[in-house]
């Protein structure tokens, strides 16, 4: 019996350190709305899934946490962010929010404040940030649409974070790349959206592609 116990303890001793030394995979957190939540398209075909696949192809150890929710506003994103940061401890945060604020005609001063706070919280947690900019149709009024488009650049400049100026570049003017509602990009558009994000992630290649 003493021999058996000693053998078991020796085995646990040998196993323990190996497990403790397993590296923790860095996390990329995506917080967005329906444009990132695969609304109306097959699961696993959205741009976030394409990004995950690309990282795996590159041999990256990073994992992606897609916390996007269809219909999400900047207020909702800000409310959920602290818990996500605490639980996932991401090294990089992609913020893709604001479109629903504009579509609902919400005050842009609040939208800008919410996104700015999300950037600040992410940076304070130790994460880098990629801010994704959006635009809205001109029927909301020239002043409103211009102010909305400009708020992303203002935040990125003042907070010194990476910016993708327009998420739907190469998609917005092509009706065939949208679902029947003419609002949400279809599956064919996802590769373009992914490429836009992938290019914007250039400053982080050193981190993301580190093996």
């Amino acid at each position: 019996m003493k021999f058996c116990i000693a053998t078991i303890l020796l085995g646990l001793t040998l196993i323990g350190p190996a497990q403790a030394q397993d590296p923790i995979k860095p996390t990329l957190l995506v917080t967005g709305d329906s444009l990132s939540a695969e609304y109306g398209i097959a699961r696993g075909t959205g741009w976030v899934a394409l990004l995950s696949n690309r990282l795996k192809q590159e041999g990256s150890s990073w994992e992606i946490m897609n916390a996007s929710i269809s219909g999400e506003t900047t207020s909702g994103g800000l409310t959920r962010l602290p818990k996500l940061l605490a639980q996932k401890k991401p090294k990089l945060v992609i913020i893709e929010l604001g479109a629903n604020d504009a579509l609902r005609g919400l005050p842009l001063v609040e939208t800008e404040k919410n996104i700015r706070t999300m950037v600040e919280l992410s940076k304070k947690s130790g994460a880098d940030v990629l801010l994704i900019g959006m635009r809205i149709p001109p029927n909301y009024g020239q002043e409103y649409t211009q102010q909305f488009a400009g708020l992303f650049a203002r935040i990125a400049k003042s907070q010194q974070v990476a910016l993708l100026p327009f998420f739907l570049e190469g998609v917005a003017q092509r009706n065939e790349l949208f679902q029947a509602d003419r609002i949400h990009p279809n599956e064919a558009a996802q590769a373009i959206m992914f490429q836009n994000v992938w290019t914007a992630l250039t400053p982080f290649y050193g981190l993301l592609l580190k093996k």
Side-chain angles (χ1 to χ4, degrees):
M1 178 62 71
K2 291 182 178 180
F3 173 78
C4 292
I5 294 175
T7 302
I8 292 173
L9 291 175
L10 177 59
L12 291 174
T13 301
L14 293 175
I15 293 174
Q19 292 176 333
Q21 291 174 4
D22 285 344
I24 299 176
K25 293 183 178 181
T27 299
L28 188 163
L29 172 65
V30 179
T31 174
D33 50 36
S34 57
L35 297 179
S36 301
E38 298 185 328
Y39 177 89
I41 60 176
R43 300 301 89 176
T45 62
W47 74 266
V48 179
L50 296 180
L51 175 58
S52 179
N53 292 339
R54 178 60 180 271
L55 291 176
K56 290 177 182 177
Q57 292 172 3
E58 297 286 348
S60 174
S61 61
W62 282 62
E63 292 185 339
I64 295 182
M65 167 62 181
N66 190 358
S68 303
I69 298 178
S70 293
E72 185 75 290
T73 62
T74 59
S75 177
L78 176 56
T79 299
R80 295 193 301 122
L81 185 60
K83 185 176 180 179
L84 289 169
L85 293 174
Q87 289 182 339
K88 303 302 178 181
K89 295 180 173 56
K91 295 298 182 182
L92 176 59
V93 176
I94 295 179
I95 300 175
E96 181 274 300
L97 288 169
N100 287 317
D101 292 45
L103 293 177
R104 297 178 185 184
L106 300 179
L108 293 184
V109 63
E110 291 300 319
T111 298
E112 184 165 349
K113 178 182 178 182
N114 291 337
I115 296 177
R116 187 182 301 277
T117 303
M118 291 183 72
V119 172
E120 292 173 345
L121 289 174
S122 299
K123 291 174 61 179
K124 187 176 181 180
S125 76
D128 288 311
V129 176
L130 170 63
L131 180 60
I132 294 183
M134 276 295 295
R135 299 173 190 169
I136 55 174
N139 57 294
Y140 283 81
Q142 183 176 3
E143 182 177 0
Y144 190 86
T145 55
Q146 289 179 346
Q147 289 181 353
F148 177 75
L151 69 86
F152 298 96
R154 286 197 300 273
I155 295 172
K157 183 177 181 180
S158 65
Q159 294 294 317
Q160 297 184 320
V161 297
L163 171 69
L164 168 55
F166 183 33
F167 191 19
L168 299 184
E169 187 68 48
V171 174
Q173 303 303 321
R174 299 174 60 184
N175 290 333
E176 73 274 16
L177 294 179
F178 284 86
Q179 299 176 41
D181 60 10
R182 300 295 183 184
I183 296 176
H184 296 94
N186 58 27
E187 189 172 322
Q190 301 303 310
I192 299 174
M193 296 163 66
F194 155 71
Q195 191 58 54
N196 290 342
V197 174
W198 184 250
T199 300
L201 285 171
T202 300
F204 308 111
Y205 285 174
L207 292 174
L208 293 171
L209 305 182
K210 186 177 180 180
K211 301 177 181 179

